Amino acid sequence: MIRKLLGEPPRVNSGLLLDAMNSMSDMLHLLERQIQASGDPTHDFRKAEILTRGLMSSLDELEQSHHAAAFFRKKVKAGYAEDMSKDEKSDYALYVFFYKDGFVRVFSILDKLGNWMNDLYDLKTGQYKAHYSYFTVLRQLKYLKMHPALTDNLNDIKDTYNDAINRLRKRRNTEIHYMNTEMQDDLWQRHRALYGKIQLEDLDHHLEDLQQGLEMVCRSLFNVFSYTTKHWENRAVRP
């Protein structure tokens, strides 16, 4: 959708994005077979199916947000807000919109994945913490010593992207609870320059963090769904 608006051809999935999408498609095929075979009287399979489709849609939207943010970042040439043309200010505003949409979606997807895992594996994380995140679910998995191979893989992924995810989390929390993140950057630059021109935040560094967040999400989704599908088929895991 975004690429059509930008006058670009449709996306062709590849790399980590393709792996993640394929792993969720495999799960959907497995769920469809289970629904046909059992009739799904408790609706557990249908619930898992809906949640899986939701994750696929959310991942698609995250990738589009990252792509659009990168597209409009390339149009921003000035290093200072005061030096921007009218068109460049518009492109910068679009970059900010899609960048913020992207980092919010990173944590939204992770939390949806955490809920999916909590339900599927009956982790009862809510009994430990009423409002829990994906990272709380990882700790619960480790505490319960359930599915250690999956737990180790997911924690390795978390550790690999820890720095970028922490920066994105701080910006997400600032955006939601404190002030607009680009205004926080302006405030910091104003402190440094005092009465000088306001230098733009490091757009490339921010985009790189968002790229890292997208990769972390893709790798986490792939590991969860490929593991679950494999073990479910072997009757080792059941919803």
Side-chain angles (χ1 to χ4, degrees):
M1 180 181 68
I2 289 294
R3 284 170 173 79
K4 183 176 182 179
L5 292 175
L6 300 179
E8 297 180 343
R11 181 187 70 217
V12 177
N13 291 345
S14 62
L16 296 175
L17 180 66
L18 178 62
D19 291 341
M21 289 294 192
N22 284 347
S23 68
M24 289 186 281
S25 292
D26 290 342
M27 172 57 71
L28 287 177
H29 294 324
L30 185 57
L31 288 167
E32 289 168 1
R33 294 198 298 271
Q34 292 286 355
I35 291 170
Q36 292 175 0
S38 68
D40 192 24
T42 62
H43 300 290
D44 289 335
F45 296 123
R46 286 183 177 85
K47 180 180 179 181
E49 178 190 19
I50 290 170
L51 292 175
T52 301
R53 291 188 186 279
L55 281 166
M56 293 181 75
S57 178
S58 295
L59 178 58
D60 174 60
E61 292 164 354
L62 169 57
E63 190 283 332
Q64 291 186 68
S65 293
H66 172 266
H67 180 81
F71 177 92
F72 288 109
R73 188 272 169 271
K74 292 176 183 177
K75 293 178 174 290
V76 179
K77 306 298 182 183
Y80 296 88
E82 292 87 344
D83 295 339
M84 289 184 183
S85 66
K86 183 177 180 180
D87 286 344
E88 196 169 3
K89 287 180 180 178
S90 177
D91 290 328
Y92 173 70
L94 286 165
Y95 153 79
V96 169
F97 175 86
F98 286 110
Y99 166 67
K100 292 197 294 188
D101 187 70
F103 67 63
V104 169
R105 287 185 186 278
V106 166
F107 295 98
S108 173
I109 293 175
L110 289 175
D111 288 344
K112 288 176 183 177
L113 177 60
N115 285 327
W116 192 92
M117 294 166 62
N118 186 66
D119 287 347
L120 191 75
Y121 297 128
D122 194 26
L123 301 178
K124 296 182 174 61
T125 309
Q127 295 180 11
Y128 163 69
K129 188 175 182 181
H131 303 288
Y132 58 86
S133 69
Y134 167 76
F135 302 99
T136 313
V137 172
L138 288 191
R139 290 193 292 270
Q140 182 76 342
L141 264 177
K142 188 172 183 177
Y143 173 76
L144 295 174
K145 298 180 180 179
M146 296 176 65
H147 313 290
L150 174 63
T151 303
D152 289 345
N153 285 340
L154 293 178
N155 277 297
D156 286 345
I157 293 169
K158 176 181 70 70
D159 292 342
T160 298
Y161 296 96
N162 187 61
D163 291 344
I165 292 296
N166 281 341
R167 287 190 292 269
L168 290 174
R169 182 188 290 111
K170 181 181 291 186
R171 296 185 71 79
R172 187 275 310 265
N173 290 343
T174 297
E175 178 69 27
I176 293 176
H177 300 297
Y178 185 44
M179 69 170 70
N180 294 356
T181 53
E182 73 278 12
M183 292 181 181
Q184 183 191 44
D185 291 323
D186 288 350
L187 179 62
W188 171 242
Q189 291 298 338
R190 181 63 76 193
H191 280 316
R192 295 181 64 187
L194 194 56
Y195 300 111
K197 293 191 295 186
I198 298 176
Q199 186 176 8
L200 295 183
E201 69 272 23
D202 191 336
L203 307 186
D204 291 327
H205 183 62
H206 288 173
L207 268 179
E208 176 59 26
D209 281 348
L210 185 56
Q211 172 66 35
Q212 295 285 302
L214 173 59
E215 290 181 8
M216 189 264 194
V217 165
C218 286
R219 291 182 61 186
S220 300
L221 287 166
F222 170 75
N223 273 268
V224 170
F225 279 91
S226 58
Y227 173 92
T228 303
T229 301
K230 177 182 176 181
H231 285 260
W232 197 348
E233 287 177 330
N234 293 334
R235 301 295 192 269
V237 174
R238 285 289 189 173

